[in-house]
Amino acid sequence: MSDIKLKTFEKMSGIELLVFLLLSMGSGVMVGIGGISSLIANALLGEIGRLVGATLFSLGIFAIVTYNMKLFTGMVAEIPNLGIKNCWRLPVCFIGNAFGVAFVALLAYYSPVSETVVHQSKVLIGTKLAFDDWAIRAFCSSILCGILITISVKSRRYATQKGMSATLGVVFPIIVFAFCGFDHSVANMLYLFYFGEISWRVVGYIFIAFSGNLIGGVIFPIVSKLREYTEKKKAERQESKN
């Protein structure tokens, strides 16, 4: 597996970095819009609103995948291909995502949906942080979210090879994680924006979700790389016997 560790540093030009940041912000915008629509559905439609909201939230990820935008939780799946030296892109992407979410949050705050969105965000985050073991809950939840996001972003590549719908492959895992309420570090930025608390608890919540998404999102790609490595070694052994 040394080829993963020794990948060369890929420097970006100024314009490439700007485009990368803009695409990252674009992802934040789409996640923010998806999050807002999900909050409104939950507020207006009762029990069924949870499923409707999860479906609406998937629009954001669908747009991100379709237009090749840069989302932190999606980029995590590419860590084995990026190499350690190029993983600096992940926190930069997260920062861009956060700015995009903040932009949408600000616009929504001064729009007709403000009261509903603010109230629902406070209820959502307040409920999560009310548990004594909120940190371990957030960590486990964000790992599960990371797994599902990776399945989603990888589906576009593999679904058509299996004769399946790429759109369904992208959207379905997102509906599942949003319906279950798993923690998505970028979407959480939207809810925390309205929560109105600046504390070590909130910072810790962001960091925990970030870390959990990272761990969950990289599990399957690493296993896939290991499988490719073992298959390559097996083929080499077979070739040497012949």
Side-chain angles (χ1 to χ4, degrees):
M1 301 296 289
S2 59
D3 57 322
I4 297 176
K5 297 178 182 178
L6 299 178
K7 285 182 180 291
T8 57
F9 175 76
E10 297 176 6
K11 185 178 180 180
M12 287 186 181
S13 66
I15 187 65
E16 287 173 333
L17 181 58
L18 176 61
V19 170
F20 181 83
L21 286 170
L22 289 174
L23 290 173
S24 299
M25 291 179 65
S27 286
V29 167
M30 292 312 305
V31 168
I33 292 173
I36 286 170
S37 62
S38 178
L39 290 172
I40 294 172
N42 275 273
L44 299 181
L45 301 177
E47 291 297 323
I48 193 65
R50 185 164 184 166
L51 179 58
V52 174
T55 305
L56 293 174
F57 183 86
S58 69
L59 167 68
I61 307 299
F62 175 76
I64 289 166
V65 173
T66 300
Y67 293 98
N68 293 314
M69 295 185 228
K70 302 298 182 182
L71 180 66
F72 162 70
T73 47
M75 285 193 68
V76 166
E78 299 301 323
I79 286 178
N81 296 320
L82 280 175
I84 293 174
K85 293 182 179 179
N86 296 303
C87 283
W88 61 270
R89 299 183 185 196
L90 293 170
V92 172
C93 180
F94 184 79
I95 292 170
N97 294 163
F99 273 104
V101 168
F103 177 68
V104 170
L106 185 63
L107 293 178
Y109 188 78
Y110 291 102
S111 77
V113 302
S114 175
E115 185 176 345
T116 301
V117 171
V118 172
H119 174 71
Q120 286 296 113
S121 294
K122 288 182 177 180
V123 170
L124 177 63
I125 297 299
T127 301
K128 286 178 178 286
L129 293 178
F131 293 97
D132 292 335
D133 58 347
W134 65 267
I136 188 65
R137 284 173 177 261
F139 185 61
C140 294
S141 171
S142 57
I143 289 175
L144 292 169
C145 176
I147 291 172
L148 289 166
I149 290 286
T150 291
I151 293 173
S152 173
V153 298
K154 289 291 187 181
S155 290
R156 183 182 60 170
R157 183 180 305 169
Y158 296 113
T160 52
Q161 297 176 11
K162 304 293 184 180
M164 298 184 296
S165 166
T167 299
L168 182 61
V170 169
V171 167
F172 188 62
I174 305 305
I175 295 174
V176 171
F177 104 70
F179 178 77
C180 293
F182 296 148
D183 283 280
H184 187 278
S185 54
V186 178
N188 281 354
M189 300 294 288
L190 172 73
Y191 313 135
L192 289 168
F193 182 89
Y194 295 125
F195 187 56
E197 177 184 316
I198 300 176
S199 65
W200 286 110
R201 181 175 65 161
V202 168
V203 173
Y205 187 54
I206 294 170
F207 178 76
I208 289 168
F210 178 96
S211 302
N213 288 164
L214 183 65
I215 293 170
V218 82
I219 291 173
F220 284 169
I222 288 178
V223 171
S224 180
K225 273 292 181 182
L226 286 170
R227 183 186 63 186
E228 291 175 10
Y229 179 77
T230 55
E231 288 176 351
K232 178 182 176 182
K233 289 298 181 182
K234 182 178 179 181
E236 290 175 353
R237 287 195 300 269
Q238 290 289 343
E239 186 176 336
S240 63
K241 290 179 180 179
N242 298 331

